Amino acid sequence: MKARVTIMPQAAVLDPAGVATADALKHLGFEGVRSVRIGKSIELDLEHATEEELHQACRDLLSNPIMEDYHLEIFS
Amino acid sequence: MKARVTIMPQAAVLDPAGVATADALKHLGFEGVRSVRIGKSIELDLEHATEEELHQACRDLLSNPIMEDYHLEIFS
């Protein structure tokens, strides 16, 4: 069983690495870039877990609910 | 136009943050965790870009092809 958690900074939270990356892309000639936001992608290899356990892990350890939103995908 | 780039450490590359996260999950009682790998999720908001331009950005700036694999998704 595998799961993927995608964690992104909330829209209202400044993301300096994303701003720097957007600037760097423009400097490299990628003029079409409006904005960039950088988050984390966490892949879990699991022996067993319930969806509720995984949501709890996302809330308690993997993400910071004050500043980040997470999206959980579970694969068989 | 939006795109998402998921960048993960290659399988052969050690991922200390992932190992630490797997250990922390086990200590918190999530016994079913086999392994964890941590990468980046980059969301791009674009005025215009071709798929080839985006692959070039992934190779040249966003990922390190020596140690990381990337996966590009494009949304209209």
Side-chain angles (χ1 to χ4, degrees), chain B:
Chain B
M1 181 182 178
K2 304 231 179 213
R4 182 187 301 128
V5 182
T6 305
I7 297 169
M8 297 302 295
Q10 288 179 7
V13 174
L14 192 67
D15 174 15
V19 174
T21 302
D23 288 347
L25 282 167
K26 284 175 202 160
H27 280 288
L28 281 175
F30 299 99
E31 302 288 347
V33 177
R34 225 181 260 126
S35 69
V36 176
R37 292 185 77 74
I38 299 184
K40 276 172 282 191
S41 177
I42 303 179
E43 288 181 3
L44 300 120
D45 186 14
L46 301 155
E47 266 163 47
H48 55 82
T50 65
E51 187 171 343
E52 180 45 39
E53 279 177 328
L54 288 171
H55 278 290
Q56 198 190 334
C58 289
R59 286 192 305 266
D60 293 355
L61 183 79
L62 301 178
S63 79
N64 172 355
I66 307 290
M67 300 173 67
E68 296 171 328
D69 293 321
Y70 74 86
H71 176 68
L72 172 65
E73 296 161 279
I74 299 172
F75 310 94
S76 61

Side-chain angles (χ1 to χ4, degrees), chain A residues 9-67:
Chain A
Q10 288 178 7
V13 174
L14 193 66
D15 174 15
V19 174
T21 302
D23 289 347
L25 283 167
K26 285 175 201 159
H27 279 288
L28 282 175
F30 299 99
E31 301 290 345
V33 178
R34 225 182 258 125
S35 69
V36 176
R37 291 186 78 75
I38 299 184
K40 276 172 282 192
S41 176
I42 303 180
E43 287 181 4
L44 299 120
D45 186 13
L46 302 154
E47 266 162 46
H48 54 84
T50 65
E51 187 171 344
E52 181 44 39
E53 281 178 327
L54 288 171
H55 278 290
Q56 198 190 334
C58 289
R59 286 192 303 267
D60 292 354
L61 182 80
L62 301 178
S63 78
N64 172 354
I66 307 290
M67 300 172 67

